[in-house]
Amino acid sequence: MSGAARLVLVASVAAALAGCSIPSWMPLVGKAKEPPPPAPPPGEVRAPLLSRSALPPDAEAVVDRIICVVNSDAVTLYELDEAEAYYLYENKLPRPSEGEERAKLRERVLAGIVEKRLQIQQAEREKVTVDDAEMTERMGDIQKRLGANTPVEFEEMIKAQGLSMEAVKRRIREQLLVERMIRRKVSLRVSVTEEEIDRYLIANREKLETGLAFEARHILFVPGAGSGEDGWTAARRRADEIYSRVLAGEDFGDLAREYSEDTGTAKNSGRLGVLKRGELAADIETAILRLSPGEHSPPFRSQVGYHLFELDSKETLAGEQLAQARNQIRDILYKQKYDTRLQEWLTEIRGKAIIEMRL
């Protein structure tokens, strides 16, 4: 089977079996979207722009031409073509037209290939191995996801795509080596402390509390229509008078029904109803939420007039909600540290590598 025809077959079968959580190189399946491979950092040897047009079906010898050497490991043009086809399929993107756009895509894809080769080479240098039990388990997972009932049927499905079981096993082994190296060099070196979670919680508490509910009442005093500062002064004077009565112990709801100029809430003892954080104007919500349940605010001026607020209740990050928030924070901080450590390690092994382009 020619290289070009093989690629077409691979893509067509992958389209019928998208969504399986199997490494993206596996030609039988697709996987969830991932960002394009990162471009090498400044100063690193990187592939020149590739803009080669599609090769004719009988050009398999040219397709397998070596285009890059990573230390002593060769990368062929066919591997780049195949990886590009996978990336476009998995991200549901059309193949870009020849020119700068496609050249940049192929440059990123080649950078990803080089990165994976470096990780495999590092695993081999450190004598990391994959045992037969791991291989059997991973092969079994793939066979199950493909719907093959027996190993013989599974092998026939592989061969039908012009591949050999040996090639598939080699790819699986490489993927397991990469996973083990990342676990050794990255995952096991990243941890999140309770103190770090506490600091994040304090710095981001307002954001984390978005959507929590609270209940409050208000009494509103509105300046007269078209009134100037004298109207605002009169509204403030009325607010001060009622506030003194609240402090004297009179019932806030009774005062709201009698004196509030917000007719929509006055008849309901000033109740604003159950609100979610973020629903009210920021200044008004801040004035309410700084109160403790049962506490009243002094006169507060908004764009519509002077308010007296009473907070009836509010949800806070406590109990199960706090536990969930802390778990989310732990995940956020772990991801940040993981990404940083991964890039540091990749930069380290790239810096020691000899990468030769042969285009």
Side-chain angles (χ1 to χ4, degrees):
M1 179 181 292
S2 73
R6 185 178 172 195
L7 276 175
V8 172
L9 179 57
V10 164
S12 64
V13 175
L17 295 161
C20 298
S21 57
I22 300 173
S24 64
W25 53 261
M26 183 63 196
L28 296 169
V29 299
K31 69 172 185 178
K33 290 184 180 181
E34 293 182 357
E44 178 185 330
V45 177
R46 56 192 291 163
L49 298 182
L50 306 175
S51 58
R52 185 182 184 88
S53 58
L55 294 169
D58 58 350
E60 187 167 7
V62 179
V63 169
D64 288 335
R65 179 169 63 88
I66 294 174
I67 61 170
C68 175
V69 178
V70 183
N71 292 320
S72 59
D73 196 1
V75 178
T76 67
L77 185 58
Y78 172 74
E79 291 178 85
L80 177 59
D81 289 338
E82 185 180 50
E84 179 189 27
Y86 290 148
Y87 173 77
L88 294 174
Y89 165 71
E90 291 169 359
N91 291 276
K92 295 179 173 56
L93 296 173
R95 175 177 167 176
S97 57
E98 297 296 334
E100 184 176 354
E101 182 181 359
R102 187 180 181 215
K104 289 181 178 179
L105 169 62
R106 288 169 70 80
E107 184 179 11
R108 290 197 302 271
V109 171
L110 180 56
I113 295 173
V114 170
E115 184 175 276
K116 183 176 180 181
R117 290 294 178 88
L118 290 172
Q119 293 175 69
I120 293 170
Q121 290 172 3
Q122 187 68 23
E124 292 171 346
R125 279 194 292 271
E126 297 190 18
K127 301 187 184 306
V128 175
T129 60
V130 175
D131 58 39
D132 293 340
E134 289 178 290
M135 288 292 298
T136 299
E137 181 180 1
R138 186 63 63 90
M139 290 289 286
D141 288 343
I142 297 174
Q143 177 181 318
K144 182 178 179 181
R145 290 184 180 277
L146 294 177
N149 295 318
T150 66
V152 172
E153 184 179 351
F154 179 39
E155 185 169 0
E156 289 175 353
M157 295 174 71
I158 296 296
K159 290 181 178 179
Q161 295 180 82
L163 300 172
S164 67
M165 288 299 292
E166 290 72 22
V168 171
K169 288 179 180 179
R170 183 178 66 253
R171 295 284 193 170
I172 291 176
R173 176 183 171 276
E174 290 175 351
Q175 184 66 30
L176 288 169
L177 285 175
V178 169
E179 292 173 5
R180 182 159 290 184
M181 282 303 299
I182 290 178
R183 187 161 55 246
R184 174 185 292 191
K185 297 296 186 179
V186 181
S187 303
L188 296 179
R189 302 189 183 195
V190 174
S191 63
V192 177
T193 67
E194 294 301 312
E195 291 74 16
E196 290 172 323
I197 295 174
D198 290 338
R199 288 195 294 270
Y200 187 98
L201 181 60
I202 292 171
N204 297 275
R205 193 175 191 96
E206 183 176 343
K207 184 190 302 181
L208 293 167
E209 290 179 338
T210 299
L212 295 182
F214 64 96
E215 294 184 72
R217 310 175 191 229
H218 83 146
I219 303 173
L220 176 64
F221 304 92
V222 182
S227 62
E229 190 57 34
D230 288 345
W232 281 94
T233 301
R236 174 59 189 261
R237 184 171 59 252
R238 297 197 301 276
D240 286 336
E241 291 172 358
I242 301 305
Y243 183 56
S244 66
R245 296 172 64 174
V246 170
L247 294 179
E250 293 192 45
D251 185 78
F252 191 93
D254 293 342
L255 293 171
R257 281 195 299 271
E258 185 173 354
Y259 296 104
S260 180
E261 296 170 14
D262 178 0
T263 57
T265 62
K267 59 186 178 183
N268 195 26
S269 301
R271 289 187 177 87
L272 296 170
V274 178
L275 300 164
K276 296 288 187 180
R277 300 191 189 199
E279 289 185 3
L280 295 179
D283 57 341
I284 292 177
E285 186 168 287
T286 299
I288 295 174
L289 292 178
R290 67 165 56 106
L291 303 173
S292 298
E295 189 178 3
H296 311 95
S297 74
F300 173 82
R301 179 171 175 170
S302 73
Q303 292 183 343
V304 296
Y306 278 96
H307 307 256
L308 302 179
F309 294 117
E310 179 184 74
L311 179 65
D312 291 332
S313 66
K314 66 178 175 181
E315 291 181 340
T316 59
L317 286 177
E320 182 63 26
Q321 288 179 323
L322 179 59
Q324 291 177 359
R326 294 183 71 85
N327 286 335
Q328 291 174 350
I329 293 169
R330 181 177 285 104
D331 291 342
I332 291 170
L333 295 178
Y334 182 88
K335 178 68 163 54
Q336 292 174 349
K337 288 187 171 186
Y338 178 95
D339 290 344
T340 298
R341 173 56 194 160
L342 177 60
Q343 290 308 312
E344 289 173 350
W345 177 57
L346 293 176
T347 298
E348 177 186 338
I349 60 176
R350 279 195 296 254
K352 297 176 181 179
I354 299 175
I355 303 173
E356 179 187 353
M357 296 299 168
R358 294 185 178 180
L359 288 174

